[in-house]
Amino acid sequence: MNLHKSPYFRLTLFYVLIVMTISILFSVVIYNISSNELDSGLGHQIRALQNMNQVIIIPRPTQEIEQIRLDQLEQSQNSLRLDLIYLNLVILVLSSGLSYFLAKKTMRPIEETLKAQNCFTADASHELRTPLTAMKTEVEVALRDKNINLNEAKSLLKSNLEEIAKLESLSNALLKIARSQETVKTNFEPISLPEIVTEAYEKIEILARKKSIIFENHFNDLAVQGDHQSLKELFVILLDNAIKYSEVKSKVIITIAKDKKQAIITIKDHGIGIKASDLPYIFNRFYRVDSSRSKQQVEGYGLGLSIARNIAEMQDGVITVKSQPGRGSEFKLIFPLYQS
Ligand code: ADP
């Protein structure tokens, strides 16, 4: 790596430059003040000696005395200059080490964010390319077939339409990811939790009906301060997952309860559950548990929970999960209560 292009090197240099500019400026000020004080101090001493000389020794000529004073002053100034140069050299060595350490500390979170961003772009490109490649291959094969009939052409278009729907849902999810990170707090308003959960349920009701999933609600009439649209999105994601990852006719329990100054919302399903080894990663973007298996069975891109966590954190909330494979999962949300 080219050393002068390395961000660590540049940042270290920048910090050292700041420290050394301040140190040299201080040294110049100290040097000037000390020189003046030395000068006037020597003047006092010589005048005192002259007064003594009048009494005990033969007085020396004024020129000679002035020369002694100037020599003394120069000697003291030289020694002060040398001390300050040594001090600045020590500061240079110390500040270089410290600046390198600080530069590393400053750069680490930036590098991690960049790495995550690159990972995200690579994953997103991969997910976008998969349906595009499928569509391209199908169209190419169809174009090579000179005897293609209307039914075959229609089935090709139908298959392409499915891939387009996947692309649409992926681009929507990507857009939601971006939006979930920029919730503006000025849009915040008091939101009734039972009302917002009911609104979210209405959006996924049809899926629940298809799988005959039973919902059991234990609602306390509590409110939080937040962005209406984002909170609804958050509950839609959690309820949708509870349905997606549950067997038919299974039960989902939603509880809204109060704990001191907090609202606790739990969504407990009795579905397939999540292995302990996967739990730390399910909130990561594009993470899907055993993706080859769940991709065949359940549609999704592994973006829902990442959006959900962004939304919860933007509204000063926390999202946690407990799960046991084969027994179900419980997602818990904690928000500060709205106090009117
Ligand atoms: P998606 O559902 O689109 O795959 P999510 O980010 O919502 O993406 O979820 C990430 C992964 O976490 C899912 O692939 C699934 O394996 C697991 N998961 C999420 N919610 C549940 C749940 N309620 N029960 C079991 N597994 C779940």
Side-chain angles (χ1 to χ4, degrees):
M1 186 176 28
N2 234 339
L3 187 66
H4 69 280
K5 280 190 183 161
S6 141
Y8 291 131
F9 177 76
R10 286 194 201 178
L11 204 59
T12 306
L13 202 70
F14 180 65
Y15 287 155
V16 172
L17 220 68
I18 293 176
V19 174
M20 288 320 293
T21 312
I22 296 172
S23 168
I24 289 169
L25 276 177
F26 263 109
S27 303
V28 171
V29 172
I30 289 172
Y31 178 78
N32 283 331
I33 294 174
S34 304
S35 292
N36 285 341
E37 285 193 353
L38 274 172
D39 197 10
S40 72
L42 278 172
H44 281 304
Q45 273 181 4
I46 283 167
R47 270 191 298 282
L49 279 172
Q50 274 175 329
N51 288 341
M52 281 167 69
N53 285 349
Q54 280 170 8
V55 185
I56 50 174
I57 330 166
I58 310 137
R60 291 189 177 195
T62 325
Q63 254 182 339
E64 202 179 319
I65 291 173
E66 180 59 17
Q67 191 52 49
I68 293 170
R69 191 185 74 84
L70 287 177
D71 287 350
Q72 279 277 327
L73 183 65
E74 200 185 326
Q75 228 175 28
S76 307
Q77 279 179 329
N78 282 345
S79 121
L80 177 67
R81 215 175 295 142
L82 216 64
D83 283 350
L84 287 173
I85 289 172
Y86 283 141
L87 182 71
N88 273 286
L89 282 175
V90 172
I91 291 177
L92 178 67
V93 173
L94 286 180
S95 67
S96 302
L98 197 72
S99 299
Y100 184 71
F101 172 76
L102 278 180
K104 277 220 149 196
K105 228 176 149 55
T106 315
M107 290 299 295
R108 200 169 302 138
I110 301 171
E111 277 184 341
E112 275 166 14
T113 312
L114 268 178
K115 207 170 146 197
Q117 201 64 42
N118 285 343
C119 239
F120 175 66
T121 313
D123 287 342
S125 315
H126 174 77
E127 293 292 349
L128 285 167
R129 219 175 39 204
T130 311
L132 283 174
T133 311
M135 276 162 66
K136 189 172 170 237
T137 315
E138 281 176 350
V139 172
E140 276 171 356
V141 170
L143 282 177
R144 256 186 258 130
D145 182 356
K146 294 197 176 88
N147 305 318
I148 189 166
N149 62 34
L150 188 63
N151 276 348
E152 284 166 338
K154 273 192 175 174
S155 118
L156 168 88
L157 287 176
K158 200 171 153 235
S159 157
N160 277 1
L161 213 57
E162 278 167 17
E163 299 300 338
I164 291 170
K166 282 186 196 163
L167 281 173
E168 203 178 11
S169 101
L170 176 59
S171 66
N172 280 341
L174 292 175
L175 210 64
K176 277 177 197 162
I177 281 251
R179 287 206 184 121
S180 66
Q181 284 169 319
E182 53 186 44
T183 310
V184 194
K185 290 215 167 173
T186 45
N187 290 342
F188 278 21
E189 53 182 324
I191 290 164
S192 151
L193 283 172
E195 275 175 31
I196 197 101
V197 173
T198 310
E199 274 183 46
Y201 174 75
E202 279 162 8
K203 278 202 85 172
I204 47 88
E205 195 176 1
I206 184 152
L207 302 172
R209 275 183 202 276
K210 264 190 197 164
K211 281 181 90 173
S212 309
I213 306 269
I214 303 146
F215 273 80
E216 189 181 298
N217 301 336
H218 302 276
F219 290 175
N220 275 292
D221 192 12
L222 303 174
V224 294
Q225 182 90 357
D227 177 67
H228 188 276
Q229 205 49 40
S230 309
L231 273 182
K232 185 165 147 189
E233 182 66 46
L234 164 61
F235 289 116
V236 168
I237 292 169
L238 296 181
L239 297 183
D240 184 41
N241 277 353
I243 298 169
K244 275 199 314 192
Y245 300 106
S246 290
E247 302 300 331
V248 285
K249 293 192 180 148
S250 116
K251 192 197 266 184
V252 176
I253 305 169
I254 311 176
T255 312
I256 300 173
K258 184 178 163 179
D259 179 29
K260 293 176 192 142
K261 289 183 174 175
Q262 292 174 324
I264 318 261
I265 307 108
T266 51
I267 296 162
K268 183 177 167 59
D269 65 53
H270 298 82
I272 60 169
I274 305 161
K275 277 192 285 181
S277 56
D278 286 310
L279 277 179
Y281 309 107
I282 56 166
F283 292 97
N284 292 356
R285 289 163 176 181
F286 291 109
Y287 190 84
R288 302 205 78 204
V289 174
D290 198 353
S291 54
S292 54
R293 185 196 59 158
S294 52
K295 246 182 192 166
Q296 280 165 11
Q297 295 181 345
V298 185
E299 290 277 311
Y301 292 100
L303 290 173
L305 287 181
S306 155
I307 299 172
R309 185 172 62 179
N310 280 349
I311 295 175
E313 285 174 359
M314 287 290 165
Q315 334 258 330
D316 303 323
V318 179
I319 180 166
T320 53
V321 59
K322 278 196 293 191
S323 189
Q324 264 189 309
R327 303 195 106 190
S329 313
E330 183 181 285
F331 285 84
K332 185 195 249 182
L333 286 156
I334 306 176
F335 289 110
L337 266 180
Y338 169 69
Q339 277 148 345
S340 50

